[in-house]
């Protein structure tokens, strides 16, 4: 009964549900970065490295799932598309749990250890900036597409902006995840430094 009520509320007010979920997500992330959420265990270097590797794996699988979902909807395979997008969203929640545990547990942020005049350094910084910007601005867009997709039947979705929003969300999401994996690979290849 509670699930039916939540779905009905999401169907009636998808923008309101999206706004509430976005605010909760931003508070969780910003609170973790600010160090005001004492909910994370302190973790050591080995755990930080393991979480970083796990994040890259989860994001790679999520990117593949998103690309498959996009492919399937373009070919009219709605059930496969839905399964791929729900899988991608679930993987992003796993990513968020791993990432916030890493940051909140004392992992901080890692930076590339290259000379600041290196073209590789500037490529890294530009890709990282785009990744971060897309990560921040795509949250409400992705959530809106998910809320619409979960609260409406495929036939009902034709009368919503799901298709248009979904295109924007998937594009931003795929690019953001891909750049995140690339910047992680650059860090892993060129060495880590952790600011004190």
């Amino acid at each position: 009964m509670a699930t039916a009520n939540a779905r009905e509320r999401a169907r009636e007010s998808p923008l309101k549900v999206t706004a509430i979920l976005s605010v909760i997500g931003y508070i969780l992330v910003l609170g973790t970065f600010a160090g005001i959420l004492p909910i994370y265990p302190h973790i050591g270097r080995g755990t930080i490295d393991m979480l970083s590797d796990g994040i890259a794996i989860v994001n790679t699988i999520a990117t593949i799932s998103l690309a498959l979902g996009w492919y399937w909807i373009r070919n009219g395979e709605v059930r496969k598309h839905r399964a791929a997008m729900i899988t991608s969203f679930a993987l992003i929640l796993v990513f968020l749990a791993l990432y916030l545990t890493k940051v909140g547990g004392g992992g901080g942020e890692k930076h590339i250890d290259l000379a600041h005049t290196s073209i590789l350094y500037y490529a890294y910084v530009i890709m990282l900036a785009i990744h971060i910007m897309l990560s921040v601005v795509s949250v409400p867009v992705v959530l809106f597409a998910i809320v619409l997709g979960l609260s409406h039947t495929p036939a009902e979705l034709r009368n919503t902006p799901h298709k248009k929003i979904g295109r924007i969300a998937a594009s931003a999401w795929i690019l953001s995840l891909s750049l995140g994996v690339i910047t992680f690979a650059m860090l892993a290849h060129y060495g880590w430094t952790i600011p004190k």
Side-chain angles (χ1 to χ4, degrees):
M1 186 71 155
T3 304
N5 287 339
R7 185 174 185 201
E8 195 56 41
R9 274 181 265 183
R11 180 195 311 267
E12 291 171 6
S13 304
L15 284 173
K16 184 187 282 186
V17 172
T18 299
I20 291 167
L21 292 174
S22 297
V23 168
I24 291 169
Y26 288 137
I27 288 171
L28 185 61
V29 171
L30 293 174
T32 300
F33 273 95
I36 59 175
L37 293 177
I39 59 174
Y40 304 100
H42 180 73
I43 56 176
R45 179 63 185 198
T47 304
I48 292 169
D49 291 341
M50 184 180 67
L51 289 173
S52 296
D53 292 342
I55 288 166
I57 291 166
V58 166
N59 283 350
T60 300
I61 296 168
T63 305
I64 293 166
S65 180
L66 280 167
L68 286 171
W70 192 327
Y71 171 79
W72 283 324
I73 199 63
R74 293 186 62 80
N75 288 293
E77 299 183 65
V78 175
R79 284 181 186 229
K80 287 182 179 180
H81 165 76
R82 181 179 170 89
M85 293 309 176
I86 290 171
T87 299
S88 299
F89 186 69
L91 287 168
I92 292 308
L93 294 178
V94 171
F95 153 78
L96 193 59
L98 296 174
Y99 184 72
L100 293 180
T101 299
K102 183 184 93 162
V103 172
E109 287 300 300
K110 297 177 180 179
H111 303 279
I112 199 161
D113 191 13
L114 295 174
H116 294 301
T117 56
S118 165
I119 192 162
L120 194 55
Y121 173 79
Y122 290 114
Y124 165 79
V125 169
I126 290 168
M127 286 188 289
L128 184 62
I130 293 169
H131 163 70
I132 291 169
M133 181 191 67
L134 285 174
S135 296
V136 170
V137 299
S138 68
V139 168
V141 181
V142 169
L143 285 172
F144 188 54
I146 291 289
V147 167
L148 286 174
L150 292 176
S151 63
H152 292 75
T153 66
E156 292 170 336
L157 283 175
R158 291 187 185 102
N159 300 319
T160 71
H162 179 76
K163 183 176 180 180
K164 181 179 180 180
I165 296 298
R167 256 192 234 123
I168 295 167
S171 300
W173 207 359
I174 289 170
L175 181 56
S176 175
L177 287 172
S178 298
L179 290 175
V181 171
I182 290 168
T183 55
F184 169 80
M186 291 175 76
L187 286 172
H189 182 71
Y190 288 102
W192 304 99
T193 59
I194 301 178
K196 295 183 181 188

